[in-house]
Amino acid sequence: MSKLNLIELINKAQDLGAEDVEFYYEVSEDNSIEVYEGEVESLESAHSKGLGIRVFVEGKMGFAYTTNFNDGVIEKVIKEAIANAKIAVEDEHRTLANGDYDYKELDIYNPQFSESSVEDKIDLILKMEKAALEYSDKIESVISAGYGDNNSEITIANSKGLNQSYKSNTCYAYLYVMASEGEEKQTASALSYGRSLDDVAPVQTGEEAAENAIKLLGGKQVNSQEAPVIFTPEVGSMFLYLLASALTAEAVQKGRSLFVDKLNEVVAANKVNIIDDGTLEAGLATAPFDDEGVPCAPTNIIEDGVLKNYLYDIYTANKDKVESTGNAQRSYRGIPNVAPSNFYLAAGEEKPVDIIGGVENGFYVHKVIGLFSGANTISGDFSVGATGQWIENGEIKQAVSEVTIAGNLIDFLKDIEELGDDLKFNPMVGSFGSPTFKVKKLAISGS
């Protein structure tokens, strides 16, 4: 589908009665491989393309989409969108992106990646599995090991003069391992990603998963208390996922966020900076523009502890009479909604080992259970199961399991005392990143 085709379709839609029109065209290829005990267990490849159509008639929006590009089908779908608009409710806040933007040039597409063979991808997973199994006699098994990649091209054109496209690709490899000692078993995972197979480090990833699992063996409960808590980047990124959902303008406008009416107020420690940056080339949600065509850009959400911005798409921005932050997200099957891109807690300057060394008595959290169901993003209260290690006099003394940590997200943010220099993104939950960081105190429920 060329840009010229889309312009012709815009003219066709207007001839059929649409006043404003937008076409969102998506072509993608996804591959996934799973290996178990040295053998390929599954290998899947999916190709898809689709066209989402938004039209406006007398201030009312209609939507339809198609994956069928045969003669006459697109015109039929345009007519469906127009019919849907005529029975919709008028909403002045629904508008399209203007076509006069400047976009940042990004290196997010590796044209050589498509030449990577299936055999090379399988070999990568086998190396990762082998590295984990050979790391220690305590590694009982690799529960699952897999690989995935995505190649996509997005084109957006509308009647306001917008006509842009970009290509991107990503790949990743992951594994879950089980370590055992006597009757006890512990699991852990690791993941590596990039834009080429060379970016994925199979041996390092396999060894990291094995080490993570072994660290948790011999876990015991600790006495219930309030104590400092250190979070790994992996667990920290899960808290960023929670915070992002509460920092969208949609959540705030609907009263479903603990950050309602807190703009320009102190909501975190002064060293806390939370940023959403759709142009971050190391991120997994990077693009020159969002899914409405608005340029992606860095947005300081919390700056030096002060809440400065929410995340906006055009619709929520129109409601608040501000500019979109370039955070519209969609597929061709639906209309845009506001969502984070590369959302992260900015790193500090401390080495993680030094953060640990400064704790006299505290909890180093490696895994949490039930965070997304055990947290309330309206009140900010959370209570989750946690596994990790206990720190005494700056040294790790023992593994800890079967405990609960609880607190409130605002208190949590305000109590962040130290930030590590090891910012990492966690593709297991999306493009959310965090360094190691220490919270002054949380309630720990144990024995």
Side-chain angles (χ1 to χ4, degrees):
M1 174 89 50
S2 69
K3 291 182 178 181
L4 180 62
N5 292 137
L6 291 181
I7 297 301
E8 290 176 353
L9 289 174
I10 288 170
N11 293 332
K12 169 67 72 175
Q14 290 181 319
D15 289 343
L16 291 169
E19 294 163 7
D20 276 316
V21 192
E22 175 199 72
F23 288 97
Y24 180 92
Y25 181 58
E26 179 182 355
V27 180
S28 66
E29 177 186 353
D30 292 276
N31 298 289
S32 64
I33 305 168
E34 291 185 0
V35 165
Y36 183 68
E37 293 184 349
E39 301 290 336
V40 176
E41 195 169 49
S42 70
L43 195 159
E44 298 179 2
S45 182
H47 298 255
S48 67
K49 67 176 180 177
L51 183 68
I53 304 168
R54 283 201 294 167
V55 302
F56 291 81
V57 179
E58 297 179 350
K60 297 181 288 187
M61 186 186 77
F63 173 78
Y65 76 91
T66 183
T67 58
N68 186 338
F69 297 90
N70 293 331
D71 289 344
V73 173
I74 294 178
E75 181 173 336
K76 179 182 177 182
V77 178
I78 291 171
K79 290 177 178 178
E80 288 177 4
I82 292 171
N84 291 338
K86 289 179 178 178
I87 61 173
V89 176
E90 184 177 352
D91 190 338
E92 64 178 348
H93 301 120
R94 292 280 181 200
T95 60
L96 296 178
N98 291 317
D100 54 354
Y101 299 111
D102 291 324
Y103 300 109
K104 184 176 179 180
E105 290 189 12
L106 299 170
D107 185 15
I108 57 173
Y109 179 67
N110 178 1
Q112 282 75 47
F113 181 75
S114 60
E115 300 171 7
S116 303
S117 69
V118 172
E119 290 76 16
D120 286 341
K121 297 171 184 178
I122 293 171
D123 184 58
L124 185 150
I125 311 172
L126 293 174
K127 285 180 180 177
M128 186 170 59
E129 184 183 49
K130 183 172 182 286
L133 291 170
E134 292 182 350
Y135 185 78
S136 168
D137 292 339
K138 294 180 179 179
I139 300 301
E140 181 176 310
S141 65
V142 173
I143 300 169
S144 66
Y147 165 89
D149 61 48
N150 168 268
N151 286 274
S152 63
E153 181 174 6
I154 303 296
T155 302
I156 306 176
N158 69 26
S159 54
K160 300 283 191 181
L162 181 72
N163 190 9
Q164 296 289 334
S165 65
Y166 71 89
K167 293 180 180 180
S168 67
N169 69 273
T170 57
C171 61
Y172 61 91
Y174 65 90
L175 78 169
Y176 291 88
V177 305
M178 178 182 291
S180 63
E181 195 168 47
E183 296 294 314
E184 186 194 3
K185 301 180 188 296
Q186 289 287 348
T187 61
S189 63
L191 182 146
S192 182
Y193 64 93
R195 302 196 190 278
S196 74
L197 295 187
D198 291 338
D199 294 332
V200 180
V203 174
Q204 180 182 336
T205 305
E207 292 178 347
E208 180 185 343
E211 182 181 1
N212 289 344
I214 291 168
K215 284 178 181 177
L216 302 179
L217 288 170
K220 300 175 182 178
Q221 282 192 332
V222 294
N223 294 330
S224 295
Q225 59 190 288
E226 283 192 343
V229 177
I230 297 175
F231 293 90
T232 64
E234 291 75 19
V235 177
S237 65
M238 296 172 71
F239 278 88
L240 268 293
Y241 174 95
L242 270 185
L243 290 166
S245 67
L247 284 163
T248 67
E250 181 181 14
V252 172
Q253 289 168 357
K254 292 181 176 179
R256 298 175 182 170
S257 167
L258 69 156
F259 296 105
V260 171
D261 296 328
K262 287 187 168 60
L263 207 59
N264 296 316
E265 291 186 9
V266 174
V267 296
N270 61 11
K271 63 176 60 182
V272 170
N273 292 278
I274 293 179
I275 301 159
D276 183 274
D277 185 0
T279 64
L280 192 71
E281 290 189 352
L284 289 171
T286 304
F289 51 85
D290 72 359
D291 288 334
E292 291 179 302
V294 175
C296 294
T299 302
N300 293 329
I301 304 300
I302 295 176
E303 186 175 343
D304 299 332
V306 177
L307 178 61
K308 291 291 189 178
N309 284 296
Y310 301 122
L311 300 177
Y312 287 98
D313 60 0
I314 289 176
Y315 181 66
T316 54
N318 286 342
K319 282 188 169 184
D320 281 356
K321 296 181 173 57
V322 297
E323 295 295 319
S324 169
T325 56
N327 283 96
Q329 187 180 88
R330 67 183 296 191
S331 78
Y332 65 82
R333 294 184 179 89
I335 65 172
N337 60 81
V338 61
S341 59
N342 303 305
F343 189 93
Y344 64 97
L345 172 63
E349 298 179 352
E350 297 289 324
K351 298 293 182 187
V353 66
D354 293 332
I355 296 177
I356 293 168
V359 174
E360 290 187 13
N361 190 62
F363 187 21
Y364 185 22
V365 177
H366 290 255
K367 293 197 302 183
V368 291
I369 301 169
L371 179 60
F372 304 142
S373 60
N376 186 323
T377 54
I378 299 175
S379 68
D381 295 332
F382 67 89
S383 179
V384 297
T387 303
Q389 295 171 299
W390 198 258
I391 304 166
E392 290 182 9
N393 298 319
E395 295 183 358
I396 293 172
K397 289 297 183 182
Q398 66 173 64
V400 175
S401 62
E402 297 182 8
V403 299
T404 299
I405 56 173
N408 181 275
L409 289 172
I410 292 289
D411 296 333
F412 175 88
L413 289 170
K414 288 182 175 179
D415 280 349
I416 291 177
E417 290 187 318
E418 295 183 65
L419 293 161
D421 62 357
D422 57 338
L423 172 66
K424 293 179 184 176
F425 282 83
N426 183 1
M428 302 301 286
V429 293
S431 196
F432 298 90
S434 171
T436 298
F437 64 90
K438 173 191 167 189
V439 174
K440 182 179 180 180
K441 64 177 180 180
L442 285 172
I444 300 168
S445 297
S447 56

